């Protein structure tokens, strides 16, 4: 259920009854359970507009809310705040409704859209590194939430599979095969580095590489065949990482830069015909008055280089046309490093001007910060090299498995390995997803693998704690009426009924940390409830009430973690 909207609706009616129709209601959680469940903060603004005393108006609204089916009590506090306590019968009824619903009381959005979401997007020809982690897991979580809320989600992995580096690699591959007919392309990263050294140090080799780029772009069959080797090997590396991370990305979602190659000149010609792209020193440029510099000069969005070459801008414009025109995208999301914000702002502006991005289509840049080491610098190996993503995930699993074994020395090796894998991958993902995506964050093994605080192990353990209750509970009446009497019973019930509100917020804003924070609050409240309100020792209706609260807690933790792309365990 949408608890927030329900309470706001009741408050709006109370304002109207107090003679203030159409007043904006500002509703937020109460500062503590002692003050109630929610607090109305819009009274002072409404009173000023109506030229009334804030406390007197607040009292009128509170009186209008008395004996409400939703609101148990409304008390005026301070200069004009209203603290609300929800009716226990209303809470109990909605808890049972949520328990009986496979969707846990969460309705699908009324405004369903076709959402095209661009995430991960590694450059091929070398293995994925830690810099690809944030886009991959943030994008995957957002896509899961949007899908759960009823939208049609089309995932697009816009890989870099075209350009100069492939000419360099093809030239080096031909050279190596000529020297050794048994040569095998195995370690892609090592191969790329060796090719780059040759490209930088040998002008003749660099010229040969550029010739291969021309052949590649011209469709030379032999060069294309070699190019496909690099692409296939790179994608197999990437898919292995996606599978380890438990992402929903598949080979079918790959839409590389090469896919738009045939449309690039058409885009430039179209922009030129529309008077948007003009020639400037041999290049084709769209000048954007919306992005003037200090001297008042319009920003230059270059769509074709001098000599006819294309850029990211050319490909991204063709990509927008495809996602709107062919895929039917009504909302386009780009989960990309925040340092590319200006490029995407200019891309969207140019696309609007060209008609590729109609006004009824929303385009959003979903920026994110950098993963930092404890030294405050971008996360690297001790030697200063970029960390391969597969190595990072292997280390996470090793560390988590060792931790599990230390806590449960009697566990069989295979069981410890299974738990270690689930906990290790979850720890890496949750450490990222629990932070505001726009911020940089420090990568800290000890913090992320801790069983205390806002971590994946803590939430996974909270879920197993719920499961252990039901292993001991035996038969119980899942449909028995609820009677919420204890403060922590009511507090937990209120929090559980906020699930839909939180998911709507994540779907609207593309901030997964809202969901992470909510799940941590649920787990923390359940822990307090578990300690203060005995479940298994209780009897009759009290026992059934607490079991139902525990059941919904477990279901929401499991569903919520799944929407973050994190697995749960019945035993840890």
């Amino acid at each position: 259920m949408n608890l927030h909207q329900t309470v706001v609706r009741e408050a709006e009616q109370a304002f109207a009854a107090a003679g203030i129709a159409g007043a904006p209601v500002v509703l937020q959680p109460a500062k503590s359970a002692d003050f109630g469940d929610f607090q109305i903060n819009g009274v002072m603004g409404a009173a000023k507009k109506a030229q009334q005393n804030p406390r007197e108006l607040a009292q009128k609204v509170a009186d209008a809310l008395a004996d409400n089916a939703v609101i148990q009590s409304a008390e005026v506090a301070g200069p004009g705040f209203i603290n609300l306590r929800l009716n226990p019968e209303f809470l109990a009824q909605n808890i049972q409704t949520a328990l009986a619903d496979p969707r846990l009381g969460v309705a699908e959005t009324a405004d369903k859209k076709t959402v095209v979401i661009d995430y991960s997007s590694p450059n091929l020809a070398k293995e994925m590194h830690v810099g690809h982690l944030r886009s991959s897991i943030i994008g995957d979580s957002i896509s899961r939430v949007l899908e759960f809320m009823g939208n049609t989600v089309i995932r697009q992995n816009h890989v870099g599979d075209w350009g100069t580096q492939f000419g360099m690699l093809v030239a080096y591959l031909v050279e190596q095969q000529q020297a050794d007919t048994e040569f095998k392309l195995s370690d892609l990263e090592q191969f790329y580095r060796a090719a780059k050294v040759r490209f930088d140090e040998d002008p003749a080799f660099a010229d040969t590489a550029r010739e291969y780029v021309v052949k590649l772009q011209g469709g030379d069959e032999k060069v294309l065949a070699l190019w496909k080797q690099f692409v296939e090997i790179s994608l197999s590396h990437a898919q292995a990482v996606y599978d380890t991370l438990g992402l929903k990305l598949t080979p079918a979602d790959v839409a590389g830069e090469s896919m738009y190659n045939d449309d690039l000149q058409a885009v430039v010609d179209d922009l030129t015909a529309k008077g948007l792209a003009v020639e400037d020193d041999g290049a084709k440029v769209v000048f954007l008055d919306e992005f003037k510099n200090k001297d008042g000069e319009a920003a230059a969005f270059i769509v074709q280089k001098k000599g006819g070459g294309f850029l990211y801008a050319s490909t991204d414009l063709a990509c927008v046309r495809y996602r709107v025109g062919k895929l039917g995208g009504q909302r386009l999301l780009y989960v990309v490093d925040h340092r590319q914000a200006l490029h995407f702002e200019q891309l969207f502006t140019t696309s609007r001007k060209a008609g590729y991005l109609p006004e009824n289509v929303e385009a959003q840049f979903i920026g994110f910060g950098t993963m930092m080491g404890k030294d405050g610098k971008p996360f690297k190996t001790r030697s200063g090299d970029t960390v391969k993503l597969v190595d990072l995930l292997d280390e996470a699993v090793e560390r988590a498995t060792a931790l599990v074994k230390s806590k449960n020395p009697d566990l069989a090796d295979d069981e410890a390995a299974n738990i270690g894998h689930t906990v290790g991958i979850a720890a890496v993902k949750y450490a990222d997803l629990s932070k505001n995506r726009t911020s940089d964050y420090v990568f800290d093994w000890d913090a992320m693998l801790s069983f205390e605080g806002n971590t994946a192990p803590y939430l996974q353990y909270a879920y197993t704690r719920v499961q252990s209750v039901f292993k001991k509970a035996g038969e119980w009446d899942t449909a028995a009426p609820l009677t919420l009497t204890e403060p922590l019973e009511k507090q937990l019930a209120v929090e559980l009924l906020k699930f839909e509100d939180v998911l709507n917020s994540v779907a609207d804003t593309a901030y997964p940390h809202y969901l992470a924070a909510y799940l941590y609050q649920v787990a923390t409240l359940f822990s307090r409830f578990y300690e203060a309100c005995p479940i298994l020792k209780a009897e009759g209706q009290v026992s059934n009430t607490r079991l139902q609260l525990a059941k919904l807690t477990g279901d929401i933790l499991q569903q919520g973690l799944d929407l973050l792309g994190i697995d749960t365990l019945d035993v840890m």
Side-chain angles (χ1 to χ4, degrees), residues 141-408:
S141 176
I142 293 168
S143 73
R144 286 168 180 259
V145 172
L146 288 168
E147 214 162 39
F148 184 75
M149 297 308 289
N151 299 283
T152 299
V153 174
I154 300 175
R155 296 169 176 83
Q156 293 283 274
N157 192 0
H158 186 84
V159 299
D161 64 350
W162 206 243
T164 304
Q165 76 267 32
F166 285 96
M168 174 185 80
L169 292 166
V170 167
Y172 190 65
L173 180 60
V174 169
E175 186 177 86
Q176 293 299 307
Q177 287 178 331
Q178 287 172 344
D180 180 3
T181 55
E182 298 299 315
F183 172 79
K184 301 284 186 184
L185 185 61
S186 51
D187 189 332
L188 201 62
E189 194 75 19
Q190 184 178 350
F191 186 89
Y192 180 87
R193 288 177 182 172
K196 187 72 167 65
V197 170
R198 291 281 286 121
F199 185 84
D200 291 340
E201 295 181 354
D202 187 341
F205 177 85
D207 288 341
T208 302
R210 294 187 187 98
E211 290 172 10
Y212 277 117
V213 173
V214 175
K215 290 180 179 180
L216 177 62
Q217 293 174 341
D220 183 285
E221 289 186 11
K222 290 183 179 178
V223 177
L224 276 173
L226 295 172
W227 167 76
K228 285 179 181 177
Q229 281 189 54
F230 290 111
V231 171
E232 288 170 4
I233 291 169
S234 297
L235 287 176
S236 68
H237 277 286
Q239 193 58 49
V241 171
Y242 298 150
D243 292 344
T244 300
L245 280 169
L247 305 188
K248 287 200 166 188
L249 282 174
T250 70
D253 300 319
V254 172
E257 292 172 359
S258 61
M259 175 176 165
Y260 308 102
N261 190 55
D262 293 343
D263 196 34
L264 302 186
Q265 189 61 55
V267 166
V268 174
D269 292 345
D270 182 59
L271 293 172
T272 304
K274 289 175 177 173
L276 292 171
V278 296
E279 191 166 314
D280 184 65
D281 194 25
K284 289 290 179 70
V285 180
V286 177
F287 287 101
L288 299 171
D289 290 329
E290 294 85 350
F291 301 91
K292 289 180 179 177
N293 62 19
K294 296 177 184 176
D295 300 324
E297 298 169 332
F301 193 61
I302 304 171
V303 296
Q304 189 169 29
K305 294 188 285 188
K306 185 177 182 178
F310 299 105
L311 308 93
Y312 286 128
S314 328
T315 304
D316 286 342
L317 285 164
C319 183
V320 170
R321 290 215 308 181
Y322 174 79
R323 291 177 180 178
V324 175
K326 299 290 186 183
L327 298 181
Q330 298 166 294
R331 184 181 179 192
L332 310 184
L333 304 182
Y334 291 79
V335 186
V336 185
D337 187 302
H338 65 79
R339 289 169 292 189
Q340 295 191 45
L342 179 61
H343 166 76
F344 280 94
E345 288 174 17
Q346 294 180 343
L347 170 69
F348 298 156
T349 300
T350 303
S351 298
R352 295 272 186 218
K353 289 174 178 284
Y356 305 158
L357 200 55
E359 289 303 318
N360 64 341
V361 175
E362 184 181 6
Q364 291 176 273
F365 173 73
I366 310 299
F368 56 84
T370 304
M371 181 198 292
M372 313 294 282
K374 288 185 179 180
D375 58 1
K377 298 177 181 178
F379 190 68
K380 302 275 187 182
T381 64
R382 288 182 181 177
S383 62
D385 294 330
T386 300
V387 181
K388 287 185 183 180
L389 193 44
V390 67
D391 292 341
L392 180 84
L393 299 179
D394 286 346
E395 184 172 354
V397 171
E398 288 172 12
R399 285 174 176 265
T401 302
L403 183 64
V404 169
K405 287 287 286 183
S406 69
K407 288 182 175 291
N408 302 283

Side-chain angles (χ1 to χ4, degrees), residues 468-539:
S468 70
V469 168
F470 290 99
K471 286 178 183 175
K472 300 171 185 175
E475 294 293 325
W476 62 285
D477 189 351
T478 58
L482 271 76
T483 305
L484 302 170
T485 55
E486 295 296 323
L488 274 169
E489 292 173 347
K490 296 176 188 174
Q491 198 177 349
L492 180 58
V494 170
E495 201 64 31
L496 294 174
L497 294 176
K498 292 178 183 176
F499 193 33
E500 181 180 320
D501 296 335
V502 173
L503 294 184
N504 277 323
S505 181
V506 176
D508 290 343
T509 64
Y511 282 114
H513 76 282
Y514 291 159
L515 175 56
Y518 168 74
L519 296 175
Y520 178 57
Q521 175 68 0
V522 167
T524 303
L525 269 176
F526 178 77
S527 180
R528 291 170 55 198
F529 160 79
Y530 183 87
E531 297 299 330
C533 303
I535 301 174
L536 298 174
K537 291 181 180 179
E539 297 179 352

Side-chain angles (χ1 to χ4, degrees), residues 39-116:
Q39 187 178 74
I40 298 175
N41 287 356
V43 179
M44 285 179 282
K48 184 177 180 180
K49 192 173 180 180
Q51 296 183 325
Q52 293 189 30
N53 180 286
R55 275 192 66 89
E56 289 178 2
L57 175 58
Q59 192 59 58
K60 289 179 185 177
V61 174
D63 291 342
L65 283 167
D67 298 323
N68 190 292
V70 176
I71 311 297
Q72 182 184 39
S73 66
E75 298 175 359
V76 178
F81 303 115
I82 303 173
N83 290 323
L84 306 177
R85 292 186 188 279
L86 302 187
N87 191 320
E89 293 180 4
F90 164 78
L91 296 173
Q93 179 183 348
N94 282 282
I95 289 290
Q96 286 201 307
T97 300
L99 272 169
D101 181 5
R103 293 181 54 81
L104 308 177
V106 178
E108 291 187 348
T109 180
D111 184 22
K112 295 178 182 178
K113 292 181 178 176
T114 296
V115 183
V116 182

Side-chain angles (χ1 to χ4, degrees), residues 28-39 41 81 83:
Q28 65 180 33
K31 293 179 181 178
S32 77
D34 293 335
F35 294 101
D37 302 314
F38 289 99
Q39 187 178 74
N41 287 356
F81 303 115
N83 290 323

